[in-house]
Amino acid sequence: ATEQKIVLREIRRGINPRLGGKVMPEGYSIQKEARLMQMAQHTGLIPAYVDHFQEDGHWFLVQQRLLDTKTLWGHAMDIYFALPPVTGRHLTLTLLPLFIKLARGLQKIHGCGVILRDLTRTNVLVTPEGNPCFIDLEFAHGIDEDSPWIHGWTPGFASPQQRGDQSPSTSDDCYAFGVLLLDVLTFCATGMELHKPAIMQRLRRNLADLDMPAALYPLIDGLINADPATRLDLDQAIASLEQML
C-alpha cells in the first residue's frame, strides 16, 4: 500500500482512433503516452509514471499527481498582483529566469527523444521552488518516430504545422514556448488564431507600459514565426533572455 496521490486517465472500450488513414488498436494513445513518459522520466520534469493497463476493455494510465504546484497562468497572476505594486524590473527579474529554466527543461525533454506538442498555460506547472513541470503528454510524439501521431492542439498555442496535422517537430514546441512567453505578458494567447496582429500590437504596448525589455518583442516574434525553417530555437531564446537580465 502507498499514500501516493495519483491521476487516473481512461480511454473507454470501443474507441479506435483513426490516425494517418489507419484505424489504430484500442488503447493506442494511452500506450503511446505511457511509453513517452517513461522515456522522459529521469528528467524529473514530468509526473512520475506509475502504470498503464487494460481492464474489461478499458485502458488506464496511472501517473503521479503533482501537489503544491501552480499553473504557469496562476503563478504569473500571483506575480502581477503581489503587493506592493509590481515594477517592470521585478517582472523582468522574476519571469525571464523562469522562462530560461522552462527552455532548458524543454531541451532536456527533447534530449530524451520526446516532443510535448501541448505546451499551454495550464500544462506547465511551477513548483514552490520556482521550477517548471510539464503535464499532459496526450499529444506527445517521439522525435523521428515513424508511427502515427495524435491529431489535436490547444487553440492559440499550436504552430501552423501542428494545426495542419503535419509531421511533429521540436519546432512545434519552440512555437508554443514563444506563445507561453507572449501569454504571461498579454494573457490573451488564445486569441492568436483569431487575430495575431492585434495580439502582437498589444504585446508591444504592454512591454512599453510595463517598462520591460523591448527585445522581448522580436524574440517572441521569431519564436512564433510561421516558417519553421526560420523560427528561432531554444538556444537562441535562452541567449536572448539572458542578455535582457
Side-chain angles (χ1 to χ4, degrees):
T2 175
E3 297 298 322
Q4 181 180 15
K5 302 296 183 181
I6 62 169
V7 173
L8 186 66
R9 298 264 305 275
E10 177 188 4
I11 293 184
R12 293 183 177 275
R13 179 176 55 242
I15 297 179
N16 301 72
R18 188 176 185 87
L19 304 172
K22 299 179 180 179
V23 177
M24 307 308 295
E26 291 185 13
Y28 174 81
S29 60
I30 285 283
Q31 295 177 76
K32 182 183 185 75
E33 185 174 355
R35 176 172 54 81
L36 294 172
M37 285 187 70
Q38 292 175 81
M39 288 170 58
Q41 193 75 140
H42 67 277
T43 65
L45 292 164
I46 64 171
Y49 165 83
V50 178
D51 194 11
H52 73 285
F53 59 91
Q54 184 183 27
E55 181 68 32
D56 193 27
H58 304 285
W59 279 90
F60 298 89
L61 173 65
V62 188
Q63 60 189 33
Q64 172 194 18
R65 178 182 176 186
L66 297 174
L67 303 175
D68 301 321
T69 59
K70 291 189 175 182
T71 63
L72 179 61
W73 167 276
H75 180 77
M77 291 293 282
D78 284 349
I79 294 172
Y80 277 97
F81 289 102
L83 294 175
V86 70
T87 64
R89 185 58 181 164
H90 178 71
L91 287 172
T92 299
L93 294 176
T94 305
L95 291 175
L96 270 55
L98 172 61
F99 271 81
I100 291 171
K101 288 182 181 180
L102 202 159
R104 287 179 173 150
L106 195 51
Q107 286 180 323
K108 290 181 180 179
I109 298 292
H110 291 169
C112 299
V114 177
I115 311 167
L116 291 177
R117 300 184 72 235
D118 201 18
L119 283 167
T120 71
R121 59 170 67 152
T122 54
N123 282 349
V124 176
L125 304 183
V126 182
T127 70
E129 297 75 32
N131 297 315
C133 295
F134 306 105
I135 63 171
D136 194 354
L137 276 66
E138 181 182 4
F139 298 150
H141 191 71
I143 296 175
D144 298 326
E145 181 177 310
D146 185 20
S147 68
W149 54 86
I150 306 300
H151 178 57
W153 68 91
T154 298
F157 292 89
S159 70
Q161 293 71 41
Q162 185 170 347
R163 297 197 304 271
D165 202 25
Q166 297 181 25
S167 179
S169 166
T170 55
S171 68
D172 296 329
D173 283 350
C174 295
Y175 183 97
F177 175 83
V179 178
L180 283 175
L181 184 53
L182 177 147
D183 196 49
V184 299
L185 299 170
T186 65
F187 292 97
C188 56
T190 51
M192 287 287 286
E193 293 180 25
L194 298 175
H195 201 290
K196 180 178 175 180
I199 304 300
M200 295 304 289
Q201 183 179 9
R202 177 169 178 171
L203 170 64
R204 194 185 295 277
R205 288 200 306 267
N206 283 9
L207 290 174
D209 290 345
L210 294 169
D211 193 26
M212 293 188 70
L216 282 166
Y217 186 94
L219 169 60
I220 293 171
D221 193 46
L223 286 164
I224 62 175
N225 189 325
D227 182 3
T230 52
R231 187 175 298 153
L232 295 183
D233 61 26
L234 294 172
D235 279 331
Q236 292 169 307
I238 292 169
S240 180
L241 290 169
E242 288 179 336
Q243 288 177 357
M244 298 181 212
L245 293 173

